[in-house]
Amino acid sequence: MMTRQQSKTQGINRRQFLATTARLSCAVALAGGGIATVAKSQPLGPQAIRPPGALAEQDFLSACVRCGLCVEACPYDTLKLARWFEQAPTGTPWFEARKVPCEMCDDIPCIKACPSGALEQALTDIDQAKMGIAVLIDEKNCLNFKGLRCDVCYRVCPLIDNAITLERSRNERSGHHAMFIPVVNPDTCTGCGKCEHACVLDEAAIKVLPPHIAMGKTADHDTYFNTESTTLEMLNKGFEL
Amino acid sequence: MSTAKVNQARFAEDAIRELGWWKAHRFLLLRRATQLTVLALFAIGPLLGLWLLKGNLSSSLLLDTIPMADPLVTLQLLTAGHVPEASLLIGAAIIGLFYALMGGRVFCSWVCPVNMVTDLAAYLRRRFALPRTPELPRQLRYFMLALVLLLPVVTGIAAWEWLNPVPVLYRAVLFGAGAGLGLLVAIFLADLLIVERLWCSHLCPSGALFALLGKLSPVKMTAVNAKDCNNCMDCFVVCPERQVLKPALKGANPMITDSDCTQCGRCIDVCAKGVFQYKNRFTFQDNPLQKSPRIAKKAENEQ
Ligand code: SF4
Ligand code: SF4
Ligand code: SF4
Ligand code: SF4
Ligand code: SF4
């Protein structure tokens, strides 16, 4: 049997409890808003490249537990875990091609080490990696554009003549020399960064950028994204799309 | 200052006189040794190339075979909608099971490196007799836990890992991420100057999750000699979760059932009367009738 006194104190307790709960919820929700804002406002910097097999950035951030197992597995000290206010969200693995590029190990130990699936185990052929895409970003200072035969980026590429080629063209400046222009094939470039690392200039003229920065994107509704197949399709169907 | 000195001289003096200095500090020192050993086992990998343990507390590999993973970060991946590799799930299950058996917050007092920072703040508080500040509700940490698990649902990323001081400290030591140490200084100062035991006893969501995991653990701190207690209050001074002590000392059940207890053993250290002991929830029965089946079992085993 509950006395009146007891029920009264319990009523107060319940009210106090509800009030505390409400206050705590508000405080915590505010804190949460802050944490979410800061955590989300830390995007991957333009010079930060993820390890091979990394999921697309948003998925990567929901998958990586920031354990550093990939970092410890890398035999070349390529990978590192981001510190606060570095180019990648804190604790996630990345590398700077200009400092230490990826050596494209055949057995890809970094992927094997990843327990979370942030690095896709399905990637078994390192040549299929898409860590980033090399872009010859400065045509003014690139020595080959000046008509010289530097070729260093071309020569160090593990996929030479495939991911990067030298295209011959007429040197309009001298009128009778050839220029050998390094051209990156974005479909085969793995983004290992050896070209950027090796570029002889003080600041590399060729840079590896994360795929989402390096690549343009056509609109989803654009039917002409692949004109060849669209035309073929139209011909086959007798113009009755 | 002089009063502080007097307080200091008095604290746990009885225990040191009765039990000797070692016995009055035994669990404190053992815990420090364990915390530093775990950290060292991780650190000798990158530093000396001795790979007994790879990774860090978030996820690791013991002797290249046994996966271990932090249940909190694993839950965050799941609420973010990512299904991790089996090794991470197995690792989280191994760690979850371990702490469910050993007592959840054993992690806090025996493994977590942040505990060394917050214990230092608590020691300084006691040493300089800093005034007690109004208590915050301790259930705040469960709200924090809910928040940490909700943020990935809303943002799609494991947002808490940006701030979580437990892995931040480990990364600072193992991978040289020095800036994270600023966070620990902040926790230290908040514990020292704002609210007593602010981080571990009020906010930390890892501690909250481990407390939940340890609810059914068989290991329980127990006031076996509660009748000898002379109300010196030393255990209340030293316990990081002092609200758990009174029910065991004054109530009907001498076992500390509250899973907030970190199993740190400091209450054993500082008690001159030897009131507290680690006990197994199932064996601690004074009733001889309860003991007889166990004796029978032992006899069976010996046949
Ligand atoms: S492929 Fe090899 S070199 Fe490249 S990041 Fe992975 S482990 Fe390092
Ligand atoms: S091993 Fe995987 S989960 Fe761990 S830090 Fe590397 S990418 Fe993240
Ligand atoms: S409450 Fe959190 S920070 Fe404190 S000891 Fe436990 S896990 Fe570590
Ligand atoms: S159990 Fe009693 S005698 Fe022992 S430290 Fe606590 S208050 Fe003092
Ligand atoms: S009751 Fe004892 S073991 Fe538990 S937290 Fe307090 S001092 Fe530590």
Side-chain angles (χ1 to χ4, degrees), chain A residues 51-52 70 73-79 95 101-105 108-111 126 131:
Chain A
C70 53
C74 176
Y76 300 101
D77 287 337
T78 303
L79 304 176
F95 69 96
C102 167
E103 296 288 337
M104 289 177 56
C105 318
I108 333 185
C110 49
I111 296 190
I126 188 68
M131 295 170 264

Side-chain angles (χ1 to χ4, degrees), chain A residues 10-97:
Chain A
Q10 279 189 356
I12 289 170
N13 283 343
R14 192 174 307 126
R15 224 177 305 140
Q16 270 174 346
F17 175 77
L18 289 177
T20 320
T21 306
R23 231 177 295 138
L24 291 186
S25 312
C26 290
V28 167
L30 270 179
I35 295 164
T37 316
V38 194
K40 283 216 103 173
S41 67
Q42 263 210 314
L44 191 66
Q47 294 278 78
I49 316 291
R50 293 289 187 207
L55 302 175
E57 186 60 12
Q58 177 71 30
D59 296 331
F60 183 82
L61 286 179
S62 70
C64 173
V65 292
R66 315 179 190 213
C67 59
L69 281 167
C70 53
V71 175
E72 293 183 340
C74 176
Y76 300 101
D77 287 337
T78 303
L79 304 176
K80 51 192 178 174
L81 286 190
R83 305 155 184 216
W84 265 358
F85 309 116
E86 268 186 343
Q87 293 209 42
T90 179
T92 57
W94 67 297
F95 69 96
E96 248 168 314

Side-chain angles (χ1 to χ4, degrees), chain B residues 87-158:
Chain B
S87 66
L88 191 80
L89 296 175
I90 295 169
I94 288 175
I95 289 302
L97 207 67
F98 177 81
Y99 287 108
L101 287 175
M102 296 300 290
R105 292 196 70 198
V106 159
F107 172 81
C108 294
S109 55
W110 291 82
V111 177
C112 180
V114 181
N115 170 267
M116 293 189 264
V117 176
T118 59
D119 269 1
L120 176 65
Y123 166 78
L124 291 175
R125 249 182 186 281
R126 191 174 76 228
R127 178 78 178 72
F128 296 108
L130 294 186
R132 276 210 188 152
T133 30
E135 289 250 358
L136 280 178
R138 284 177 193 251
Q139 69 268 38
L140 191 49
R141 54 184 148 204
Y142 295 104
F143 285 78
M144 289 290 288
L145 177 59
L147 171 82
V148 165
L149 296 180
L150 268 174
L151 279 183
V153 181
V154 182
T155 61
I157 63 178

